[in-house]
Amino acid sequence: METSLDIYSVLNDTEVLKSGHEFAEMMTWYKCAIMEVETKLNVLNQEFSLQYDRNPFESIKTRLKDPVSIVNKLKRKGLEISVDSIQENLHDIGGVRVVCSFQEDIYKLARMLGSQDDVSLLRIKDYIKNPKPNGYRSLHMIIAIPIFLSADTKYMKVEVQFRTIAMDFWASLEHKMKYKKNIKNPEQIVARLAMCAETIEQIDLEMQSIRSLIDKE
């Protein structure tokens, strides 16, 4: 259960953190790391397209965690509010979301990305094979990737999430509805969303099966 936080304290700590040159510099490094990962995925997309005559993903979305969210997370975890603490303890400052057509392509892309010489795979969580209780499905990878600066090389962590179109649709709507206030019968809503997630999983598998049949012809 998340700890209730004083919003004024969060905002004050956020302003203090943002005022430092080190924080701005660190966020620039994360931006560069995101660009590196996005470039790598686009290159893999082109190579995959040449080999298999189709593109493995539909879209890529990137995001940099905002300072308020960063401070919130550190406070919830009871961690120090500092640049060093952020880099050591938080793995999702830089995020890349890859939306694929088929589950099979998710695992192929993840293997291809994780096996590159300059990519270090730090952690992987497979919420497709082991979905969360609410029905959430996605493949999460935490990787470390080098960025080459004028004076030195930095290794930055980036979270890469892989989803199918159906998984992304479900997660987006679930996220929006989760923050609605005064919902009647919340248990019923949770149960129905979980059922929708199961239905979407079956649709994903059926679409993959159909594609396999087409490829054999």
Side-chain angles (χ1 to χ4, degrees):
M1 185 175 179
E2 292 185 356
T3 306
S4 178
L5 299 174
D6 180 351
I7 187 61
Y8 297 105
S9 173
V10 169
L11 291 175
N12 181 60
D13 284 331
T14 300
E15 288 306 310
V16 171
L17 190 64
K18 286 169 60 181
S19 67
H21 173 72
E22 287 184 345
F23 178 77
E25 188 176 46
M26 179 195 68
M27 295 302 277
T28 297
W29 297 341
Y30 278 113
K31 286 180 185 177
C32 293
I34 290 170
M35 288 190 289
E36 289 283 351
V37 174
E38 188 174 16
T39 298
K40 282 180 173 295
L41 287 164
N42 279 319
V43 170
L44 289 175
N45 191 42
Q46 292 299 316
E47 181 185 2
F48 196 103
S49 176
L50 184 63
Q51 289 181 352
Y52 300 101
D53 196 30
R54 60 184 175 82
N55 298 100
F57 61 78
E58 296 292 323
S59 66
I60 296 181
K61 300 175 184 177
T62 63
R63 67 109 181 92
L64 191 66
K65 205 174 191 70
D66 69 82
V68 172
S69 296
I70 291 171
V71 172
N72 257 315
K73 192 162 189 177
L74 289 173
K75 281 183 169 288
R76 285 199 305 268
K77 291 176 173 285
L79 298 170
E80 180 186 358
I81 312 297
S82 70
V83 167
D84 288 341
S85 179
I86 291 167
Q87 292 186 79
E88 182 179 349
N89 298 299
L90 302 187
H91 308 307
D92 61 346
I93 304 300
V96 178
R97 182 177 300 156
V98 186
V99 179
C100 300
S101 297
F102 304 100
Q103 287 189 24
E104 186 176 81
D105 294 342
I106 286 175
Y107 292 105
K108 284 182 180 177
L109 266 180
R111 282 194 300 271
M112 292 165 76
L113 178 63
S115 64
Q116 294 197 357
D117 292 341
D118 60 346
V119 173
S120 297
L121 179 59
L122 304 180
R123 189 174 71 192
I124 188 163
K125 288 190 176 182
D126 192 342
Y127 295 115
I128 299 174
K129 293 179 180 176
N130 303 288
K132 291 186 178 182
N134 67 346
Y136 175 84
R137 286 173 167 83
S138 185
L139 182 70
H140 290 197
M141 295 173 66
I142 305 296
I143 62 174
I145 187 167
I147 58 168
F148 302 96
L149 306 170
S150 59
D152 60 358
T153 301
K154 299 284 184 185
Y155 281 82
M156 306 302 295
K157 299 171 188 172
V158 178
E159 181 185 54
V160 187
Q161 297 179 359
F162 294 91
R163 299 175 182 171
T164 64
I165 299 169
M167 291 173 196
D168 191 54
F169 168 72
W170 183 93
S172 297
L173 290 183
E174 191 271 345
H175 180 76
K176 289 177 182 178
M177 289 188 282
K178 185 167 63 176
Y179 292 99
K180 291 283 187 182
K181 296 180 179 179
N182 302 318
I183 297 177
K184 296 180 180 179
N185 303 317
E187 296 83 2
Q188 183 182 2
I189 300 298
V190 169
R192 292 182 67 176
L193 281 169
M195 287 177 61
C196 286
E198 290 292 334
T199 301
I200 283 174
E201 167 73 358
Q202 293 305 312
I203 291 171
D204 266 342
L205 294 175
E206 182 64 16
M207 294 300 287
Q208 186 168 287
S209 176
I210 293 169
R211 193 203 69 191
S212 297
L213 285 173
I214 292 170
D215 288 346
K216 288 179 181 178
E217 293 182 358

